[in-house]
Amino acid sequence: MNIRENLEQLEFKNLSPYAMHSAESKGRLKDEEQCDIRPVFQRDRDRILHSKSFRRLKDKTQVFLTPDGDHYRTRLTHTLEVSQNARTIAKALRMNEDLVEAIALGHDLGHTPFGHAGERALNAVCPYGFEHAKQSVRTVDILEKNGQGLNLTMEVRDGILNHQTKGEPSTLEGKIVRFSDKIAYIHHDMDDAIRAGILREEDVPEEICSVIGHSTGERLDHFIHDIVSTSYDSNEIKMSELVAKAMKDLRQFMFENVYTNPLAKAEESKAEMLIQTLYNYYRHHLEKLPDDFKRLITQGEPEEMVISDYIAAMTDRFAIAKYEDIYIPKTWHG
């Protein structure tokens, strides 16, 4: 008995006709033998979950740099909230939960330390530019497993690459993750901002609250219900016009009051300087790169891109420690 084949047949029986079925995957970059238990997207989910880059997300900034408190989100908790939102929507719409979970868990693997401040810093100095969605794909294709990569399916790679607003995923599962990412960060960034005293619930404009609710929990629930009801039994993942406008307005409110708030972003210029200083240091000291990254250069990868690879892979704490090790004088003990 081949359990995987049985599970694949159950997908054809139980999932929506618009869902992506594991047996119809376009395959991997490199052919490999199938697992006799797990369909391909479940196998991808497991590979991401056990990867080093996934574990490092626990010490990477979401919005607040090195916050003084245990309850602020990190890039890892953001990823888990995206995954939960996506699975809730996928289950209700009878989409492929394994596929949405794999995309969700992998979508930010290439994110820099210090959140978008680190991304801006690398994009400014690397001649090849830097974008975390592309870096996430590069991470799973090249950087993981000492240069072997995770060899994920085309559908998971596509969903990771196109998870941002400007992306256009090729599967409905990828589109679910794209919505779920936006819903997650709007929800939890507001929750963290209220916790930090930067916002009060009553600051949210009433014209937004009257449509989607008067608390972060109500709004999260409303977004998910709206996507499910608007997309049900359809070959499209969408929101109703009224809720989509409310989300757009709420996102704009967050940009004006949190994402560009001087109090919340006071340390970002320091983080950008630190990232760019490390980049310039390794630009002149390639021999200081770890062997795995030096090997990429010998294999023909551009030096500047490999330096970005190394820095992007760092956690906040590791980047600070590297900077201190290189530039801060140490106490002489004699």
Side-chain angles (χ1 to χ4, degrees), residues 11 89 110 136 208 220 228 263 316 321:
E11 287 184 2
I89 296 168
S136 293
I208 296 175
L220 175 64
V228 170
L263 183 61
D316 296 12

Side-chain angles (χ1 to χ4, degrees), residues 65 111-132 267-280 304 307-308 311-312 319:
L65 272 65
H111 228 304
T112 56
F114 310 119
H116 290 286
E119 184 173 19
R120 287 194 302 270
L122 280 182
N123 187 54
V125 293
C126 180
Y128 296 92
F130 186 91
E131 186 178 324
H132 80 268
E267 299 296 298
E268 284 198 349
S269 61
K270 297 178 186 178
E272 292 181 30
M273 179 277 296
L274 185 152
I275 292 292
Q276 293 180 350
T277 302
L278 286 177
Y279 177 91
N280 290 325
E304 299 91 341
I307 294 168
S308 292
I311 294 173

Side-chain angles (χ1 to χ4, degrees), residues 165-323:
T165 301
K166 64 182 180 180
E168 189 56 47
S170 64
T171 64
L172 295 188
E173 287 82 359
K175 293 177 182 179
I176 288 172
V177 174
R178 185 180 56 176
F179 266 117
S180 299
D181 181 36
K182 191 182 300 185
I183 291 169
Y185 72 67
I186 289 175
H187 166 258
H188 62 54
D189 292 351
M190 178 172 289
D191 187 46
D192 281 353
I194 291 172
R195 177 177 293 107
I198 291 172
L199 279 183
R200 299 172 303 159
E201 177 58 50
E202 50 266 37
D203 294 330
V204 182
E206 177 58 29
E207 58 265 30
I208 296 175
C209 294
S210 63
V211 176
I212 54 177
H214 289 81
S215 71
T216 54
E218 285 182 12
R219 289 188 283 270
L220 175 64
D221 187 67
H222 200 102
F223 284 142
I224 290 174
H225 273 81
D226 185 77
I227 290 174
V228 170
S229 61
T230 308
S231 308
Y232 197 79
D233 205 20
S234 164
N235 193 20
E236 194 172 355
I237 304 298
K238 57 186 177 180
M239 283 182 167
S240 65
E241 289 186 15
L242 188 64
V243 173
K245 182 182 185 305
M247 173 184 261
K248 181 179 179 181
D249 292 343
L250 184 58
R251 187 169 179 264
Q252 182 61 37
F253 171 82
M254 290 293 291
F255 269 96
E256 292 172 358
N257 292 276
V258 177
Y259 301 139
T260 58
N261 185 299
L263 183 61
K265 300 300 180 181
E267 299 296 298
E268 284 198 349
S269 61
K270 297 178 186 178
E272 292 181 30
M273 179 277 296
L274 185 152
I275 292 292
Q276 293 180 350
T277 302
L278 286 177
Y279 177 91
N280 290 325
Y281 172 81
Y282 288 109
R283 195 69 195 87
H284 295 93
H285 297 280
L286 291 175
E287 75 281 359
K288 298 291 186 179
L289 289 171
D291 290 342
D292 290 347
F293 292 90
K294 286 189 283 192
R295 191 179 306 119
L296 288 173
I297 295 173
T298 62
Q299 292 171 352
E301 295 290 328
E303 294 174 0
E304 299 91 341
M305 191 172 289
V306 173
I307 294 168
S308 292
D309 290 336
Y310 180 47
I311 294 173
M314 294 178 179
T315 61
D316 296 12
R317 182 170 48 199
F318 186 81
I320 292 170
K322 271 295 175 188
Y323 180 87

